[in-house]
Amino acid sequence: MTSATMHVLSGLTALIIEPHAGMRASIHGMLSQGGLTKIEYAVSSGTAIRPLRHKTFDLVICEYDLGEGQDGQQLLEDLRFNKLLPHSTIFIMVTAERTRDKVVSAAELALNDYILKPFTADTLIDRITRAIERRNALQMIRQLVDDGNLSGAIEACSVGMEQAPRYASDFMRLRAELHMTLGELAEAETLYGELYTRRALAWARLGQAITLHQQGRFAEAEVMLQALVEEKPQFLEAYDWLAKAQEELERVEQAQRTLEAAVARSPHAVQRLRRLGRIALEAGDVQAAHQAFQQVVNRARFSEFREPEDHVHLVETAIVQGEIQLVNSVIRDLSKTLAHAAKTPVCRALSMAMLHRHNGEEQETVDALQTAVVASREPIALSIDARVMLAKKCLQSGLEQGAVEVMTTVAGNTPGGAATARTMRLFHEAGREDLATRVARDSKNHVSDLVSAGAEKARLGDYRGAVDLMSEAATRLPNNPQVVFNAAVAVLKCLDNIGWDDELGNRARDYVTSARRLDPRNPRLSLLGSMYRELLQKYAISRSDRYGSPTGF
């Protein structure tokens, strides 16, 4: 092992997630040979979450088979989905598992490497060194992104290609992603097309299709993605985007078949199983939805991030399937093991309402639905699907006001496009066009009132009050670009007037990220970037790369 290698690795921090003491000691010894001394341990997915919540590691080495509870792939999916693992962290899975579907499932979650046992210290250190060198080559770009200087990051990508040509594809990919973040979709489409023409890279073709999708060219995206999954059947992210395009084109049965094909190849990804269940329900295939949600609940039962809404969907499908014993069991599990979750009150009430309705208990059904409607008023980030389900059940029981209240939030959270049409369909199907009109009007007024109230608080100097109000609004309406944009402005103005606060700084960054994702062509987005950069300069803040992705700001 060369001194140059040890120099690259010295000073790095590492977390070893391994249940067996002997293997932990072995990996520790290998890392020590490479010059790593700052090493921590976790023996399960549960014990790994705490250190990953509170600090950033340069390297995570994780065993696939973690024994009782989650496996390494499920842990990694949770970490990615909940943004606990920045892309700057090198994540390597080690395992004796050679089953194809498990290897595919783990690999699709953007692993830096996947090492089969047994392996030597030289093999491990070589893989780590290569990953660190690549990360370091891209670090300048990530720092510019972290500072909100996206235009500068695009220019730096061109410089990086000249200085480190071995990573030319990585720089081109980052540049394309930055153009997408800025809403410059034509530029991104061109770059991805050039990359695919040069090297026939599957991810370049996928990027090109995503730009088509974001331009609303769903039919073109579908054609490109269909060809991609036929050419590269193991490239599972392409299936996800193909299903999205098919859903936008209102071909939900095809979207279901697409996701089923992906699940057949990679059956351990909980997020995809959850989406399959939702699509199958929309397609009217209750049996397939039931099977999907059963798998989701079973696979997620050891997760630190269990989702109460999964139980609601399982209750819904189990009732249709006549599995009432399972319904009672799921509701007990929801009440007992997820009592701490903010969504549990509304999810339990909605589940009980469905059970009471099945049993013919009309008053108990109404009482439970009213409880659910009240609970849904809390800022709990209840999904659109769950709210639509609640509104539908309210309509079925004659609770028109409850349905209107819930759907007003839904309409405010799906401004325009096919999503709005789908969520409002339940009023049209019920023959209540009057309620649909009322919801559209009330939703528009509600959003306008929220934004005006936040601006008024800021005008009067109540910057904290403006942040609290707009943050709650953004939690309720996370997909409304107007609300999220104004939440970002409120936080940035608060920081400018009361001083720097790390929590608020991170919140501002998250809101700007969401605003760019929701409305990348909004010309006012440059204002947010400028405000953020000026605050960093004003308070001399040097921001570490928390998320590590150019789409992060």
Side-chain angles (χ1 to χ4, degrees):
M1 200 165 298
T2 66
S3 57
T5 296
M6 296 186 70
H7 176 72
V8 169
L9 301 183
S10 64
L12 300 182
T13 58
L15 175 67
I16 300 172
I17 309 173
E18 166 62 61
H20 303 293
M23 194 63 195
R24 287 198 301 273
S26 177
I27 294 175
H28 184 122
M30 294 179 185
L31 295 179
S32 296
Q33 289 182 45
L36 277 86
T37 58
K38 301 175 182 178
I39 303 172
E40 296 183 29
Y41 306 99
V43 298
S44 65
S45 61
T47 58
I49 294 296
R50 180 177 294 275
L52 289 167
R53 277 188 190 276
H54 295 100
K55 65 187 300 185
T56 298
F57 292 89
D58 295 294
L59 171 67
V60 174
I61 298 179
C62 181
E63 165 63 42
Y64 184 96
D65 182 4
L66 295 175
E68 182 76 11
Q70 287 186 304
D71 59 33
Q73 181 266 329
Q74 292 165 334
L75 170 62
L76 178 56
E77 184 176 17
D78 267 353
L79 294 174
R80 293 284 191 223
F81 186 74
N82 293 283
K83 298 181 180 179
L84 291 184
L85 193 71
H87 287 281
S88 59
T89 295
I90 307 302
F91 194 103
I92 295 177
M93 194 86 75
V94 296
T95 182
E97 179 61 64
R98 285 174 165 79
T99 302
R100 184 191 66 83
D101 67 326
K102 291 185 177 180
V103 173
V104 169
S105 293
E108 71 166 308
L109 286 170
L111 283 165
N112 294 95
D113 222 324
Y114 191 99
I115 304 178
L116 293 174
K117 297 176 182 178
F119 54 87
T120 65
D122 285 341
T123 296
L124 179 61
I125 297 301
D126 178 63
R127 302 283 187 88
I128 294 172
T129 301
R130 281 187 286 173
I132 292 293
E133 288 174 347
R134 176 182 175 276
R135 185 194 73 171
N136 291 346
L138 304 176
Q139 189 61 35
M140 175 180 62
I141 313 298
R142 302 198 191 285
Q143 187 59 55
L144 287 168
V145 170
D146 199 54
D147 291 340
N149 188 359
L150 302 188
S151 297
I154 289 175
E155 295 177 5
C157 285
S158 299
V159 175
M161 288 178 62
E162 297 177 2
Q163 296 179 345
R166 63 185 293 194
Y167 301 115
S169 294
D170 294 295
F171 284 114
M172 287 187 72
R173 184 176 189 172
L174 286 172
R175 184 178 167 193
E177 290 177 355
L178 286 162
H179 280 303
M180 289 180 70
T181 300
L182 289 170
E184 299 167 350
L185 300 178
E187 291 86 343
E189 181 185 352
T190 299
L191 277 171
Y192 282 125
E194 289 178 6
L195 273 166
Y196 188 75
T197 300
R198 288 186 189 182
R199 299 185 58 188
L201 296 165
W203 57 258
R205 197 55 148 183
L206 174 64
Q208 192 175 14
I210 292 173
T211 63
L212 294 174
H213 188 280
Q214 293 189 351
Q215 294 174 70
R217 297 157 62 184
F218 304 120
E220 295 175 68
E222 181 190 28
V223 171
M224 188 174 289
L225 290 163
Q226 187 65 61
L228 181 56
V229 298
E230 291 172 2
E231 180 185 353
K232 302 285 185 181
Q234 298 295 338
F235 190 37
L236 296 167
E237 191 177 356
Y239 292 81
D240 297 330
W241 280 96
L242 176 57
K244 290 179 183 179
Q246 291 166 336
E247 190 177 4
E248 288 289 348
L249 294 167
E250 299 191 359
R251 294 204 287 270
V252 291
E253 292 85 359
Q254 285 181 268
Q256 179 185 339
R257 290 195 293 271
T258 297
L259 290 174
E260 286 173 341
V263 167
R265 292 185 175 278
S266 177
H268 304 282
V270 172
Q271 298 301 330
R272 184 177 293 118
L273 279 167
R274 183 177 285 133
R275 187 152 175 258
L276 172 58
R278 182 182 65 79
I279 290 290
L281 268 180
E282 189 173 348
D285 190 345
V286 178
Q287 182 176 355
H290 184 57
Q291 292 173 350
F293 285 119
Q294 276 189 303
Q295 292 183 67
V296 170
V297 170
N298 288 336
R299 293 185 189 284
R301 68 185 185 276
F302 294 107
S303 171
E304 293 288 315
F305 307 98
R306 295 179 72 193
E307 174 54 71
E309 291 186 27
D310 294 333
H311 290 64
V312 178
H313 288 302
L314 184 54
V315 165
E316 181 183 28
T317 59
I319 287 175
V320 177
Q321 295 292 101
E323 299 184 25
I324 305 306
Q325 186 174 352
L326 174 61
V327 170
N328 290 315
S329 174
V330 171
I331 292 176
R332 282 196 303 270
D333 181 47
L334 176 62
S335 303
K336 182 178 180 180
T337 65
L338 287 169
H340 63 284
K343 293 183 184 180
T344 294
V346 64
C347 289
R348 184 183 184 282
L350 180 52
S351 297
M352 290 301 301
M354 288 189 285
L355 179 58
H356 288 312
R357 183 177 178 83
H358 171 79
N359 293 336
E361 300 162 346
E362 294 183 10
Q363 187 56 52
E364 288 84 351
T365 301
V366 169
D367 292 343
L369 287 172
Q370 290 175 332
T371 299
V373 170
V374 171
S376 73
R377 296 170 185 163
E378 297 298 319
I380 54 176
L382 193 66
S383 75
I384 291 172
D385 286 338
R387 291 184 186 275
V388 170
M389 183 194 301
L390 174 56
K392 184 176 181 179
K393 303 305 179 185
C394 285
L395 274 182
Q396 290 173 349
S397 293
L399 298 176
E400 291 183 0
Q401 180 55 39
V404 168
E405 178 182 337
V406 173
M407 287 302 293
T408 297
T409 300
V410 171
N413 205 22
T414 56
T420 301
R422 284 197 298 272
T423 56
M424 298 295 282
R425 188 176 298 157
L426 72 99
F427 289 129
H428 301 311
E429 292 175 348
R432 297 304 306 270
E433 302 293 338
D434 59 318
L435 296 182
T437 301
R438 180 179 164 190
V439 163
R441 183 191 65 238
D442 290 353
S443 171
K444 184 177 180 179
N445 292 338
H446 178 61
V447 170
S448 178
D449 290 345
L450 280 172
V451 171
S452 297
E456 180 64 12
K457 283 182 177 293
R459 189 185 70 81
L460 295 174
D462 184 5
Y463 299 106
R464 281 283 184 181
V467 167
D468 291 343
L469 178 64
M470 293 311 303
S471 293
E472 181 174 332
T475 300
R476 294 177 184 274
L477 306 172
N479 296 315
N480 188 298
Q482 183 183 4
V483 169
V484 174
F485 182 93
N486 281 278
V489 171
V491 176
L492 291 170
K493 285 185 175 179
C494 183
L495 289 170
D496 190 34
N497 283 276
I498 71 171
W500 185 262
D501 176 89
D502 282 343
E503 190 276 329
L504 286 180
N506 289 333
R507 199 187 308 181
R509 180 189 173 107
D510 289 344
Y511 287 150
V512 176
T513 299
S514 295
R516 289 194 185 281
R517 173 179 57 81
L518 294 168
D519 189 10
R521 297 185 178 184
N522 187 332
R524 296 187 299 163
L525 285 171
S526 60
L527 171 65
L528 295 185
S530 298
M531 290 175 68
Y532 186 79
R533 289 194 299 274
E534 289 171 4
L535 285 172
L536 296 182
Q537 294 172 1
K538 177 179 179 178
Y539 296 113
I541 303 295
S542 176
R543 306 297 292 153
S544 61
D545 185 9
R546 174 64 177 160
Y547 299 108
S549 168
T551 57
F553 190 74

